[in-house]
């Protein structure tokens, strides 16, 4: 799929982002820099569409990623002339640009002070609050970032982006149960997001691995991880990460069969019996090798996978075949 | 039965240039003017302060938990339910907990809700004033004669509408007077405005009236609604949920689904 300027560029690969930002001069030239709001000119020229401004915003982000700061400034200028300096989203973009321009920590501190200033005027400026948290995190002040994020989520608990960021920070600190809680909150907001289901499965699996095998709590996490991966596959039946996780978990279950004596709590998920686990394992292996095969042949409809994820799946399959 | 003879009325062709055309042009121009007046008068959406936002979004959070509880395991759902119910019942999310239990303030005296009403008033005014003006203008200048004949037959019921101001008993209802042309313009100019101003224009009063009929988005947190009662109701809703999870028996579901 060719990268489009109409989608946020955050999950594009570096190459795709570069490709987008190289288009910057032509896009900037071909699109109008301002749109007149007078009724006469509206009759004769193309009218303003939201797409145009989304394009500028995404172009700005891509240009920043690839270091084309001149084009980024141009985009911002146009956005500012349209929306003014007081728009919350524009303020966040301006801050982002300042962060990118900063040469050393002192300048970043200055940007942070500005954010604090803005937030003391208007505490509900969510884009700026998020920028401040991101800046704190990138400056390595993780605990401050977490406390600000928790504060943000206290007054805005319906923000999926913030919850997943919180989950990510907790995970990076190794706080699995907190990360799981945050990811569950994301799922409450977007119940059918298969990637979040798989992510939650990954975190549960990590938690299970960390707490040592044979442990009761580790078995519970393992059971839930298995179910999460299965759910993500149910929602999207070509999802590589789901199959990968399913294979990992079932391999582990088959290698270390659970002792069933301790399963007394009816509230918790139970690990499936061995035959089900075996069938799930077969299913995951089959599907993974199918995906890898089709991707290698570059079949139509199978090209959208990430290169590194395919490589990881190939490794896993090879390791499994060698072990068996 | 004898056919009624076709009525012919000889009209001055100048009628077209001096009545039909001016009325249409004036209607279009007022529509455009109204659009821009509405755009200019529109007040920016009100900024919520942090406590109000907290109150509203906490309630939404509870609603989300209630609707999507099936994504959670029983244990995590119970933890959330206990926490939310306790917080809702103790009023922890209320904007000002001291005012709890008192009657909600009168919406008329609350300045923040007054603003919303002012906005509505302004819109109403922008519709009513030009309509009255144009109608009286047409009545004063162009009333009392027939300006055109519709190309399709109509029943007698339309007579009072189409021939307003022309009191001739036997005339075919197909003949219409200037005031009826005005009404036709009111109802029929929407596509013209769509073409001129884009589809979300404020020129036509018909669209605005439709908007008022429709459900109002902000109703849930509107003035006069007691948030404490909403929280208590939500706590009850959460308490009665019988939990199940989509993860129950998913392995078998998956195996069967793939095999099938």
């Amino acid at each position: 799929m060719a990268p489009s300027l109409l989608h946020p560029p955050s999950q594009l690969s570096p190459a795709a982002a570069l490709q987008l930002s190289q288009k910057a001069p032509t896009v900037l030239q071909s699109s109008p820099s301002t749109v007149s709001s007078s009724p006469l000119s509206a009759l004769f020229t193309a009218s303003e569409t939201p797409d145009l401004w989304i394009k500028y915003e995404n172009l700005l982000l891509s240009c920043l990623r690839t270091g084309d700061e001149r084009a980024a400034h141009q985009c911002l200028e146009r956005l500012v002339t349209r929306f003014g300096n007081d728009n919350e989203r524009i303020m966040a973009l301006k801050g982002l640009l300042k962060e990118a321009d900063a040469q050393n920590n002192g300048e970043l501190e200055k940007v942070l002070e500005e954010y604090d200033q803005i937030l003391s005027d208007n505490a509900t400026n969510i884009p700026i609050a998020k920028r401040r948290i991101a800046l704190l995190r990138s400056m390595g002040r993780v605990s401050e970032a977490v406390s600000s994020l928790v504060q943000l989520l206290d007054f805005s608990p319906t923000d999926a982006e913030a919850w997943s960021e919180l989950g990510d920070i907790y995970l990076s600190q190794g706080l699995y149960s907190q990360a799981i809680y945050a990811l569950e909150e994301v799922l409450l907001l977007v119940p059918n997001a298969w990637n979040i289901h798989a992510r939650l499965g990954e975190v549960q699996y990590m938690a299970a691995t960390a707490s040592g095998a044979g442990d009761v709590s580790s078995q519970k996490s393992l059971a839930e991880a298995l179910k999460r991966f299965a759910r993500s596959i149910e929602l999207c039946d070509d999802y590589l990460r789901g199959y990968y996780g399913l294979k990992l978990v079932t391999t582990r279950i088959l290698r270390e069969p659970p002792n069933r004596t301790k399963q007394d709590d009816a509230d918790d998920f139970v690990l499936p019996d061995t035959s089900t686990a075996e069938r799930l394992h077969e299913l995951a292996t089959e599907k993974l090798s199918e995906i890898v095969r089709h991707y290698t042949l570059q079949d139509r409809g199978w090209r959208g996978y990430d290169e590194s994820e395919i490589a990881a799946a190939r490794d896993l399959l090879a390791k499994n075949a060698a072990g068996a | 039965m004898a056919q009624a003879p076709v009525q012919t009325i000889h009209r001055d062709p100048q009628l077209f240039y001096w009545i039909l055309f001016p009325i249409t042009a004036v209607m279009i121009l007022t529509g455009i003017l109204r659009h821009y007046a509405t755009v200019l008068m529109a007040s920016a959406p009100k900024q919520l302060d942090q406590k109000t936002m907290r109150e509203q979004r906490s309630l939404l959070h509870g609603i989300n938990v209630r609707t999507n509880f099936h994504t959670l395991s029983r244990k995590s759902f119970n933890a959330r339910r206990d926490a939310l119910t306790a917080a809702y019942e103790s009023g922890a999310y209320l904007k000002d907990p001291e005012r709890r239990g008192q009657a909600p303030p009168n919406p008329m005296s609350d300045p923040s809700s007054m603003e919303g009403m002012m906005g509505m008033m302004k819109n109403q005014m922008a519709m009513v004033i030009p309509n009255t003006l144009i109608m009286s203008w047409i009545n004063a200048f162009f009333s009392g004669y027939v300006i055109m004949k519709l190309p399709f037959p109509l029943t007698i019921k339309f007579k009072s509408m189409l021939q307003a101001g022309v009191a001739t008993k036997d005339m075919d209802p197909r003949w219409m007077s200037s005031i009826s042309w005005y009404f036709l313009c009111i109802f029929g100019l929407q596509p013209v405005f769509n073409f001129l101003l884009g589809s979300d224009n404020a020129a036509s009063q018909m669209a605005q009236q439709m908007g008022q009929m429709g459900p109002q988005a902000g109703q849930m947190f509107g003035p006069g609604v007691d948030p404490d009662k909403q929280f208590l109701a939500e706590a009850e809703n959460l308490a009665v949920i019988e939990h199940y999870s989509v993860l129950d028996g998913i392995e078998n579901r998956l195996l069967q689904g793939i095999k099938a």
Side-chain angles (χ1 to χ4, degrees):
Chain A
M1 199 179 70
S4 154
L5 274 175
L6 292 177
H7 299 291
S10 52
Q11 65 276 72
L12 289 181
S13 66
L18 185 65
Q19 196 191 334
L20 273 190
S21 81
Q22 277 165 348
K23 280 197 280 182
T26 43
V27 172
L28 285 176
Q29 232 167 36
S30 63
S31 329
S33 61
T34 51
V35 170
S36 163
S37 60
S38 93
L40 260 183
S41 61
L43 275 180
F44 299 111
T45 56
S47 58
E48 174 186 17
T49 55
D51 283 0
L52 177 69
W53 308 112
I54 293 175
K55 241 196 247 173
Y56 279 138
E57 190 181 349
N58 291 335
L59 189 64
L60 176 105
L61 296 176
S62 296
C63 287
L64 278 185
R65 252 180 96 178
T66 47
D68 185 358
E69 264 144 44
R70 211 171 51 82
H73 275 283
Q74 266 179 327
C75 291
L76 182 71
E77 219 169 89
R78 293 183 181 187
L79 285 168
V80 168
T81 41
R82 172 64 182 85
F83 295 101
N85 279 314
D86 301 329
N87 186 295
E88 293 186 349
R89 212 153 140 182
I90 300 292
M91 280 160 105
L93 287 177
K94 272 166 82 176
L96 186 66
L97 214 57
K98 268 185 211 153
E99 286 171 41
D101 285 342
Q103 301 295 330
N104 50 41
N105 241 353
E107 287 180 42
L108 281 181
E109 292 283 351
K110 228 176 274 168
V111 179
L112 194 64
E113 268 169 39
E114 267 175 50
Y115 287 161
D116 285 333
Q117 183 64 40
I118 295 171
L119 286 177
S120 66
D121 291 341
N122 174 14
T124 54
N125 192 336
I126 289 177
I128 288 288
K130 285 185 177 170
R131 269 312 332 139
R132 179 168 172 273
I133 291 160
L135 180 58
L136 281 174
R137 193 181 176 193
S138 63
M139 285 164 79
R141 288 148 70 171
V142 178
S143 60
E144 275 176 73
V146 170
S147 60
S148 326
L149 203 48
V150 169
Q151 204 193 339
L152 170 72
L153 285 168
D154 177 58
F155 72 84
S156 170
T158 49
D159 190 333
E161 192 183 30
W163 278 116
S164 52
E165 176 76 10
L166 185 66
D168 195 47
I169 296 184
Y170 276 139
L171 183 63
S172 70
Q173 303 300 305
L175 300 166
Y176 294 115
S177 58
Q178 282 89 336
I180 289 169
Y181 183 90
L183 285 174
E184 280 173 349
E185 287 291 338
V186 179
L187 273 186
L188 283 174
L189 294 163
V190 278
N192 293 334
W194 59 82
N195 54 346
I196 302 294
H197 274 288
R199 183 76 187 142
L200 192 49
E202 284 163 21
V203 177
Q204 300 264 20
Y205 181 74
M206 283 186 235
T209 333
S211 64
D215 199 344
V216 180
S217 74
S218 126
Q219 277 190 18
K220 280 176 196 162
S221 328
L222 210 56
E224 193 173 339
L226 176 76
K227 282 168 183 288
R228 290 283 171 202
F229 286 125
R231 176 69 182 156
S232 85
I233 295 170
E234 192 179 40
L235 288 167
C236 172
D237 51 10
D238 288 325
Y239 193 51
L240 190 142
R241 291 185 91 105
Y243 285 108
Y244 189 96
L246 190 63
K247 186 166 164 63
L248 270 187
V249 178
T250 44
T251 314
R252 195 180 141 140
I253 293 173
L254 292 174
R255 204 177 54 224
E256 302 161 7
N259 40 352
R260 302 204 159 265
T261 48
K262 287 186 214 158
Q263 301 277 352
D264 49 351
D265 205 346
D267 275 3
D268 288 311
F269 292 122
V270 195
L271 281 172
D273 50 38
T274 322
S275 69
T276 319
E278 256 167 22
R279 278 162 66 203
L280 283 172
H281 182 248
E282 261 170 44
L283 169 74
T285 315
E286 199 180 306
K287 189 74 185 180
L288 271 183
S289 34
E290 190 187 349
I291 291 175
V292 169
R293 194 175 64 240
H294 281 294
Y295 182 82
T296 325
L297 294 175
Q298 286 289 305
D299 280 343
R300 179 187 295 274
W302 297 82
R303 290 176 209 164
Y305 292 102
D306 194 67
E307 183 74 54
S308 54
E309 288 182 0
I310 292 281
R314 201 176 284 142
D315 276 0
L316 183 72
L317 285 171
K319 212 188 293 172
N320 205 253
Chain B
M1 236 175 105
Q3 283 275 327
V6 179
Q7 289 177 349
T8 44
I9 299 177
H10 292 286
R11 288 151 293 151
D12 191 340
Q14 294 290 319
L15 278 176
F16 180 79
Y17 303 109
W18 293 100
I19 299 181
L20 217 59
F21 183 69
I23 292 179
T24 318
V26 164
M27 293 295 294
I28 292 176
L29 287 179
T30 11
I32 292 173
L33 210 67
R34 183 185 296 130
H35 172 72
Y36 284 102
T38 324
V39 169
L40 283 181
M41 284 195 305
S43 45
K46 194 162 46 96
Q47 280 275 352
L48 290 175
D49 60 55
Q50 196 171 349
K51 283 194 170 145
T52 323
M53 194 187 262
R54 180 163 180 259
E55 185 179 270
Q56 297 184 353
R57 299 208 172 165
S58 306
L59 187 60
L60 284 179
H61 185 216
I63 293 173
N64 270 324
V65 172
R66 169 159 59 89
T67 43
N68 296 329
F69 67 90
H70 51 79
T71 55
L72 296 179
S73 63
R74 180 179 295 267
K75 217 162 74 188
S76 20
F77 172 69
N78 282 343
R80 278 179 181 72
R81 164 154 70 190
D82 294 345
L84 280 177
T85 321
Y88 284 174
E89 276 168 0
S90 67
Y93 291 130
L94 286 179
K95 186 164 52 173
D96 36 8
E98 305 94 62
R99 291 186 47 84
R100 205 172 167 220
Q102 298 173 16
N106 185 359
M108 291 307 277
S109 64
D110 187 5
S112 61
S113 64
M114 274 309 272
E115 252 167 59
M117 284 187 206
M118 276 304 284
M120 239 191 280
M121 282 287 278
K122 274 193 267 182
N123 276 337
Q124 290 282 346
M125 280 305 164
M127 260 161 40
V128 171
I129 292 179
N131 276 353
T132 334
L133 284 181
I134 296 176
M135 197 145 152
S136 52
W137 168 69
I138 289 177
N139 255 335
F141 280 82
F142 308 123
S143 72
Y145 37 82
V146 158
I147 55 169
M148 67 185 285
K149 188 182 182 186
L150 291 176
F152 42 85
L154 285 170
T155 57
I156 200 82
K157 289 269 181 199
F158 286 91
K159 210 167 148 66
S160 57
M161 186 182 100
L162 288 181
Q163 292 174 1
V166 186
T168 314
K169 230 166 94 190
D170 293 332
M171 201 158 62
D172 194 323
R174 287 164 72 181
W175 297 101
M176 58 187 273
S177 65
S178 51
I179 197 87
S180 27
W181 179 245
Y182 163 74
F183 281 120
L184 269 188
C185 282
I186 287 187
F187 297 116
L189 277 181
Q190 181 64 36
V192 179
F193 292 135
N194 279 350
F195 172 68
L196 288 178
L197 302 169
S199 54
D200 51 347
N201 64 70
S204 165
Q205 53 264 30
M206 287 310 286
Q208 288 191 3
Q209 279 164 4
M210 290 299 190
Q212 283 169 10
M213 308 264 185
Q216 296 214 328
Q219 200 67 289
M220 202 174 142
F221 304 112
V225 183
D226 187 2
D228 188 33
K229 291 220 177 78
Q230 284 179 306
F231 276 128
L232 290 180
E234 194 51 47
E236 206 161 296
N237 286 340
L238 279 173
V240 297
I241 287 178
E242 197 171 327
H243 181 265
Y244 66 89
S245 174
V246 276
L247 303 181
D248 296 335
I250 187 157
E251 298 95 344
N252 297 328
R253 221 159 63 218
L254 188 67
L255 285 173
Q256 269 166 12
I258 297 282
K259 288 278 176 319

